[in-house]
Amino acid sequence: MVHQECINCKTQYGIDEIVYFCRKCGDILEIKFGMTELGEKLKASDWKKTPISVWRYRDFMPIHEATRLVTLSEGGTGLHRSQRLCDELGLKQLYVKNEGENPTGSFKDRGMTVGVTKAVELGARHVICASTGNTSASLAAYAARAGIKCTVLIPSGKIAYGKLSQSMIHGAKVLQVRGNFDQALEFVLKLAEKHKDIYLLNSINPFRIEGQKSLGFEICEQLGNEAPDRIVIPVGNAGNISAVWKGLTEFYKLGIIKKLPKMTGIQAAGSAPIAQAIKTNSEKITPVEHPETIATAIRIGAPVSWKKAVNAIRESHGTAETVTDEEILDAQKILARVEGIFVEPASASSIAGLKKLVKSGVIGRDERVVCITTGHGLKDPDTAIKQSEKPVEVDAEMSAIENALGLKKQAILAR
Ligand code: F0G
C-alpha cells in the first residue's frame, strides 16, 4: 500500500492526510510504495506505450485513478549527448539533461503537476510556497491551470526578473519578504500550520518529490534502461537530489536498472551547508545564516531536505562540491557557447562542479556522466547580459555594418 512515512521514526500517514512534518518526532515525510504491489501493477499496465513525460509514470504516483490531472505537458526533456563539452572538460561520455525545457522553464514543473493535482484532489482552493523564484513561477502557473488561488513569498530584491514576471502574470499574490529564502520558508510553514485551508507546496511536501523523481526515471529510460555512472546536480533546498535518488532506487528495486549512479551534489560556495557536511563527514549540517551567491535560485542556508540529500549522496557513494560565482558564470558561458544550451546560473553550477571534480580527479575521465541543468537561461537575462559582449550600435548603412564586422569593402558585382 502507498502511504506517507516519517524518514526518522517511520510513523505512517495516509496519502489523503494533510501533514507536512511527523506528528511524533517532527521530521520530514516521504511517500512509500509496496514495491511488490507496484511491480504487479506495472506488469498489468501499458505505461511503456505512453510517451516520455511525468505522467508516463502515473502508476508510480500517489494519485487516485479517478483524479483529473493538472498538467501542462511536463517532463520529456532532452538528454543531450554533449561531445564538445566532453572535449572541453576532458571526459569521454557526458550528457546534459536540460530541465529548462519544461513548461515554465525549470524542473519544478515535474513536482508541481503532481503537487497541484494532489492539492485539487484534497479539495484545496489556495496554495502557497516560499521561493527563490522557480518554485513560485511554477506554482503560479499550475494554480492558474487548476483555477485556484496562489500566494508566493519571495526574498525581496534577490530573485531573477524572468521568474518574478512569471508569478505576476499568472496572477499569484506575490509577497516580497524583507529577508532571505529561509525566513520566507519559515513563514509559509507557520501559515500552513495555522490556516488549514492553505495547502503548502514547497519541496517539504512529499507529493512534489514524487513528481520530481520522474527525472531519475527519464534519465535511465533515455539511456536504454541503464543508469549512468554518475549524476551531477545543483543543490539548494535539497528536494531535487532527493527526488532523483528516490526515482532511481525505485527503478533499481523493480529490476528496471541493474546498478545505481553516484549522486554528486553541487552547491554555491556562499550557500553550501550540505557540501560542508559531506566534506567534513558530519552527521548534521550547520546552517549558513547569511547565504550569498550570484546563483540566486540556490541561495539557501538551511535546506529543509538536507537529511534526504546527505543520505542520497552517502548511500550512492557520491560526493558534494562547492563552486564560486566566478566558476558558475564561466560554466554558464561555456555551456552556452559549446553546446548551445542556455541555462540560468544555478543550473550552471552542476557544470562548474563537474569541471572542478574532473580536474581534481574525483570524477574519472572514463565515467559516463549525466549533468542536470535545472532552469532556463531566460529566467535571468540580466546576469547573461552582464557577462557577454555588448551589442554594437551602428548606423543603418551598409558601410557602417561592414565596418563593425571588420569586412573589407567590396564592389558589388554586376550580375
Ligand atoms: N536549480 C534551480 C534553477 C532552482 O530553482 C533550484 C531551487 C535548484 C536548482 C535547487 O533545487 O532546492 O531542490 O535542491 N529553487 C527553489 C525555488 C528553492 O524556490 O525555486 P533544490
Side-chain angles (χ1 to χ4, degrees):
M1 265 297 280
V2 56
H3 61 268
Q4 306 189 69
E5 191 175 294
C6 169
I7 63 164
N8 175 45
C9 73
K10 312 292 175 199
T11 301
Q12 296 188 6
Y13 303 91
I15 58 164
D16 295 315
E17 256 184 279
I18 298 183
V19 47
Y20 307 109
F21 293 98
C22 178
R23 294 196 190 107
K24 272 205 186 136
C25 75
D27 220 322
I28 57 174
L29 308 177
E30 65 179 336
I31 304 290
K32 281 271 176 137
F33 287 86
M35 290 318 272
T36 321
E37 209 176 39
L38 179 58
E40 289 304 314
K41 189 172 167 191
L42 291 175
K43 267 188 216 154
S45 150
D46 54 3
W47 67 285
K48 292 221 161 156
K49 291 191 186 137
T50 315
I52 194 157
S53 70
V54 171
W55 293 108
R56 173 183 172 89
Y57 310 108
R58 185 168 179 157
D59 292 328
F60 298 77
M61 299 299 162
I63 299 291
H64 297 296
E65 253 168 52
T67 301
R68 245 186 77 210
L69 308 180
V70 182
T71 174
L72 290 162
S73 301
E74 42 294 307
T77 56
L79 183 71
H80 305 283
R81 179 86 199 250
S82 302
Q83 195 53 50
R84 296 189 66 211
L85 188 57
C86 260
D87 299 343
E88 189 83 25
L89 304 184
L91 273 169
K92 287 210 178 114
Q93 256 198 88
L94 171 63
Y95 297 81
V96 173
K97 177 71 170 164
N98 189 21
E99 289 292 289
E101 295 166 32
N102 275 297
T104 76
S106 84
F107 69 93
K108 305 286 181 182
D109 298 339
R110 292 181 185 274
M112 285 309 174
T113 184
V114 177
V116 175
T117 295
K118 190 71 201 176
V120 174
E121 193 181 70
L122 291 166
R125 304 294 309 154
H126 185 182
V127 287
I128 194 170
C129 73
S131 179
T132 55
N134 281 322
T135 300
S136 46
S138 184
L139 183 59
Y142 284 86
R145 185 88 173 151
I148 58 178
K149 194 172 156 191
C150 175
T151 299
V152 304
L153 269 66
I154 55 173
S156 64
K158 282 281 185 181
I159 83 162
Y161 246 56
K163 304 174 191 183
L164 180 59
S165 71
Q166 289 177 292
S167 292
M168 291 165 68
I169 197 71
H170 289 306
K173 179 79 183 169
V174 182
L175 301 185
Q176 288 200 297
V177 181
R178 290 191 195 96
N180 60 29
F181 168 82
D182 303 297
Q183 291 166 308
L185 183 60
E186 272 181 40
F187 283 115
V188 296
L189 291 174
K190 281 185 194 146
L191 273 172
E193 214 41 61
K194 203 168 159 191
H195 303 271
K196 300 291 181 205
D197 54 331
I198 308 182
Y199 189 65
L200 177 70
L201 273 165
N202 275 99
S203 59
I204 188 128
N205 183 320
F207 294 95
R208 257 197 55 199
I209 299 296
E210 291 306 290
Q212 286 175 212
K213 76 183 178 184
S214 63
L215 180 45
F217 294 161
E218 284 187 10
I219 291 171
C220 298
E221 290 213 278
Q222 286 171 315
L223 290 174
N225 290 335
E226 251 183 58
D229 297 318
R230 188 179 296 270
I231 294 181
V232 186
I233 178 169
V235 174
N237 215 17
N240 209 28
I241 188 169
S242 316
V244 172
W245 180 241
K246 187 170 194 286
L248 293 162
T249 50
E250 285 179 6
F251 258 24
Y252 182 74
K253 284 179 193 158
L254 290 164
I256 297 172
I257 54 171
K258 299 285 176 272
K259 59 158 198 174
L260 287 161
K262 295 185 168 106
M263 299 302 291
T264 301
I266 310 298
Q267 292 202 292
S271 318
I274 290 174
Q276 289 313 335
I278 294 292
K279 279 172 188 280
T280 54
N281 212 8
S282 155
E283 278 301 306
K284 283 191 171 164
I285 61 156
T286 309
V288 176
E289 209 172 318
H290 301 291
E292 257 324 323
T293 168
I294 192 150
T296 51
I298 51 172
R299 191 170 162 266
I300 295 172
V304 70
S305 298
W306 69 269
K307 267 193 195 168
K308 287 183 181 176
V310 165
N311 178 51
I313 292 168
R314 293 208 170 121
E315 225 177 83
S316 70
H317 308 289
T319 189
E321 186 52 281
T322 62
V323 287
T324 63
D325 283 358
E326 204 183 340
E327 288 166 333
I328 290 173
L329 293 178
D330 182 53
Q332 184 191 28
K333 222 182 221 179
I334 293 174
L335 183 63
R337 295 188 179 183
V338 307
E339 294 294 349
I341 299 173
F342 180 24
V343 303
E344 65 167 288
S347 302
S349 65
S350 57
I351 307 286
L354 172 63
K355 186 175 170 181
K356 202 166 169 179
L357 290 169
V358 171
K359 211 168 165 192
S360 64
V362 173
I363 295 184
R365 293 180 188 273
D366 290 331
E367 286 186 37
R368 191 187 209 194
V369 180
V370 170
C371 225
I372 298 174
T373 55
T374 42
H376 201 288
L378 286 175
K379 294 273 191 176
D380 184 4
D382 296 350
T383 306
I385 286 172
K386 255 185 234 152
Q387 63 155 342
S388 305
E389 190 190 323
K390 298 281 165 291
V392 182
E393 205 173 343
V394 290
D395 289 333
E397 279 172 18
M398 193 59 170
S399 60
I401 291 169
E402 283 179 329
N403 262 344
L405 293 175
L407 299 172
K408 285 202 190 97
K409 276 200 183 122
Q410 285 178 354
I412 296 171
L413 297 175
R415 296 196 180 185

